[in-house]
Amino acid sequence: MSRFAGRTILVTGAGSGIGREMARQFVEEGGTVYAADLDPGAVPEGSTPLKVDVTDPDSFAAAVDRAVSETGALHVLCNNAGASSTTDVLDCTLEEWERTFAVNSRGVFLGTKLALPHMLAQGDGAIVNTASVAGLVGLKDRAAYCASKGAVIALTRQVAVQYAGTGVRCNCVCPGTVDSPWVGRLLAAADDPERARAGLVARQPMGRLGTPTEVAAAALYLASDAATFITGTELVIDGGLLAG
Ligand code: NAD
């Protein structure tokens, strides 16, 4: 398939896990891909690596400017970079709350703000935000994380409604537990990593974790012309976890 031939795509958090797989699939499908990350050393072959901190307006603006100046357009923005936080309200420091919101919520706001003028001028654009099931339900020890992902879902809906009919669509994916380096780090920090992994798997109706490939495929669908009547939605990719 070459659904994204002639399309310019910017993916954040493209150096690892889900974002890396999004960038890889966009390249595979013919897109011109700008792969932004704090550490762009491992972005997929065929993409243009960009060192970007999504919390920093100048850094993010430079990435958008580069994509637009080199290709003349920006068709797809995947606001995917995210930060973990594993505390409850009592344990979460103000600094941790603000750091989590800076990456997960402010980063999405900045990317959207920077991409929209180009997409509106083109009359054509798709923004796909990576939220989480944590934005839809309460999870223990994830106060700032749940709240920051809830903000992503709310902003997705607001942007969708604000710009419906302009040719610009805004949606999000809500992954469940995905076997990415992120989850690998959380498990490595557990007292008994193997037991912790077995616990994660046990709560999955399908008896396994998701893969970055499965989440990326959903993001590409939302960004594609197959989804032209879809805006403001959250696509849950969790192997049935929330359904239970
Ligand atoms: P990951 O750790 O494998 O990749 C995240 C990438 O984001 C890293 O390469 C990191 O360098 C980059 N990043 C972090 N802060 C950044 C910043 N300020 N600017 C630019 N890049 C930055 O994690 P992943 O599992 O692929 O997570 C990707 C997204 O998916 C995140 O938004 C996360 O919240 C979300 N998510 C993950 C899971 C899961 O189980 N893995 C579940 C639900 C949602």
Side-chain angles (χ1 to χ4, degrees), residues 214-239:
E214 289 167 319
V215 178
L220 265 75
Y221 165 67
L222 290 173
S224 77
D225 285 345
T228 43
F229 200 52
I230 301 179
T231 196
T233 199
E234 62 275 348
L235 180 48
V236 175
I237 306 135
D238 71 346

Side-chain angles (χ1 to χ4, degrees), residues 13-19 36-39 52-55 80-83 103-104 130-133 145 149 175-178 180-183 185:
S16 174
I18 294 167
D37 203 291
L38 278 179
D39 175 7
V52 173
D53 178 353
V54 298
T55 71
N80 167 78
V103 183
N104 295 356
T130 304
S132 169
V133 295
Y145 188 71
K149 291 298 189 179
T177 310
V178 176
S180 72
W182 171 305
V183 167
R185 283 192 299 276

Side-chain angles (χ1 to χ4, degrees), residues 163-190:
Y163 297 104
T166 65
V168 178
R169 298 179 298 105
C170 185
N171 292 291
C172 63
V173 288
C174 291
T177 310
V178 176
D179 209 351
S180 72
W182 171 305
V183 167
R185 283 192 299 276
L186 288 176
L187 291 175

Side-chain angles (χ1 to χ4, degrees), residues 118-159:
H118 302 290
M119 292 179 168
L120 290 170
Q122 292 160 193
D124 177 10
I127 298 170
V128 182
N129 299 321
T130 304
S132 169
V133 295
L136 294 167
V137 296
L139 298 178
K140 279 192 175 175
D141 298 324
R142 298 286 186 277
Y145 188 71
C146 285
S148 64
K149 291 298 189 179
V152 173
I153 295 167
L155 182 63
T156 299
R157 292 182 183 139
Q158 195 283 331
V159 170

Side-chain angles (χ1 to χ4, degrees), residues 56-171:
D56 174 8
D58 293 339
S59 169
F60 212 152
V64 171
D65 287 351
R66 167 117 183 245
V68 172
S69 67
E70 288 184 357
T71 67
L74 180 60
H75 299 101
V76 178
L77 170 65
C78 292
N79 280 311
N80 167 78
S84 167
S85 169
T86 55
T87 52
D88 77 337
V89 167
L90 293 178
D91 294 337
C92 186
T93 62
L94 187 55
E95 184 193 25
E96 179 176 353
W97 179 270
E98 293 192 336
R99 179 185 56 79
T100 308
F101 267 77
V103 183
N104 295 356
S105 307
R106 180 163 110 183
V108 173
F109 160 71
L110 288 174
T112 304
K113 193 176 180 63
L114 290 161
L116 268 172
H118 302 290
M119 292 179 168
L120 290 170
Q122 292 160 193
D124 177 10
I127 298 170
V128 182
N129 299 321
T130 304
S132 169
V133 295
L136 294 167
V137 296
L139 298 178
K140 279 192 175 175
D141 298 324
R142 298 286 186 277
Y145 188 71
C146 285
S148 64
K149 291 298 189 179
V152 173
I153 295 167
L155 182 63
T156 299
R157 292 182 183 139
Q158 195 283 331
V159 170
V161 168
Q162 186 85 42
Y163 297 104
T166 65
V168 178
R169 298 179 298 105
C170 185
N171 292 291

